[in-house]
Amino acid sequence: MSPIELNQRQDKILQIVKEKGPITGEKIAEQLNLTRATLRPDLAILTMAGFLDARPRVGYFYSGKKTMASVTESMMNLKVKDFQSMPVVVSENMTAYDAICQMFLEDVGTLFVVDDRSRLQGVLSRKDLLRTSIGTQAITKIPVHIIMTRMPNIVYCHKNDSLIHVAKKLIERQVDSLPVVEEKEDGLEIVGRITKTNITKAFISLAETNDL
């Protein structure tokens, strides 16, 4: 969303309303030595943009809408830890058939594969399972560690990462979710997942908070 650039007269209107609001359009016009009709387009723009609010028989008052710089700062402060959800984890020895069942039962698009120490070993997507199921392999016998995406090709994030940066990773790698990990001496421990849905909810929440 592009910031709205106000002209000099609109800036003066805002200043008057901040200092003397609520104030009628006629009073604002008097302050600027202009007619009410001349100000009508400016008042409409400021009201639609959210800088001013208006009440019948009361007048205009400053709505206190945040500047775009403030909204941008709020956006950059969104962290993974505040919006992550629980990961769906499976064993590396689970069969592809059981993984398909697990994916449908959990209603997710990605499974995270761990070893017997619960350390991240791979990621299993719908595409991986679809590719396997339409092949000639017996999906009831193939373990997921054969078809999963392995390190170092796994993209992951940390709980204190910016949600904006994680969103860029999702887009660049064309994946639906990322594992949220903590780095341990013996590998990566999965502590959550961040999905496109998580990020969408976060930005909707931000928009509602700032009346965008």
Side-chain angles (χ1 to χ4, degrees):
M1 185 176 179
S2 300
I4 297 175
E5 293 185 4
L6 304 181
N7 60 37
Q8 187 176 13
R9 187 163 66 197
Q10 290 163 356
D11 281 329
K12 288 181 179 178
I13 293 171
L14 281 183
Q15 191 61 39
I16 291 171
V17 177
K18 284 180 183 179
E19 294 176 355
K20 301 184 178 181
I23 182 173
T24 65
E26 288 75 12
K27 292 294 184 181
I28 297 172
E30 288 178 11
Q31 294 281 321
L32 296 173
N33 295 318
L34 296 171
T35 65
R36 175 71 172 81
T38 302
L39 285 189
R40 188 171 291 116
D42 295 308
L43 291 170
I45 289 171
L46 292 171
T47 302
M48 288 188 293
F51 292 103
L52 297 182
D53 202 349
R55 293 178 184 173
R57 295 185 297 277
V58 175
Y60 294 91
F61 58 93
Y62 185 63
S63 67
K65 178 177 178 178
K66 291 186 177 181
T67 64
M68 288 308 297
S70 179
V71 174
T72 300
E73 182 180 356
S74 298
M75 187 180 297
M76 294 304 297
N77 286 332
L78 295 177
K79 301 296 182 184
V80 167
K81 63 183 179 182
D82 298 319
F83 298 96
Q84 69 184 50
S85 51
M86 292 294 294
V88 180
V89 176
V90 299
S91 165
E92 59 185 343
N93 294 317
M94 176 180 278
T95 66
Y97 175 82
D98 288 336
I100 292 172
C101 294
Q102 186 77 9
M103 186 171 283
F104 276 97
L105 285 172
E106 298 288 350
D107 192 23
V108 294
T110 306
L111 299 173
F112 302 115
V113 185
V114 297
D115 60 15
D116 55 6
R117 297 166 301 152
S118 296
R119 297 299 181 254
L120 178 63
Q121 297 298 309
V123 173
L124 201 60
S125 68
R126 286 195 186 101
K127 290 180 182 179
D128 296 325
L129 293 171
L130 178 61
R131 190 181 303 114
T132 302
S133 64
I134 63 177
T136 58
Q137 303 98 329
I139 61 174
T140 56
K141 297 180 180 179
I142 297 175
V144 295
H145 68 76
I146 292 179
I147 61 174
M148 69 185 183
T149 300
R150 292 178 171 274
M151 296 291 286
N153 296 317
I154 300 173
V155 184
Y156 55 85
C157 63
H158 300 87
K159 61 183 181 180
N160 287 319
D161 286 350
S162 164
L163 215 57
I164 286 287
H165 295 150
V166 173
K168 289 179 180 179
K169 285 184 179 181
L170 287 171
I171 294 171
E172 290 170 357
R173 299 302 290 263
Q174 298 183 347
V175 294
D176 292 327
S177 66
L178 297 182
V180 184
V181 303
E182 289 184 1
E183 297 183 17
K184 305 294 184 180
E185 291 183 0
D186 58 347
L188 299 175
E189 177 185 359
I190 303 177
V191 296
R193 68 184 168 116
I194 197 77
T195 69
K196 290 179 179 178
T197 300
N198 295 138
I199 291 174
T200 300
K201 288 180 179 178
F203 291 144
I204 288 175
S205 175
L206 179 67
E208 290 175 345
T209 300
N210 291 281
D211 295 326
L212 297 181

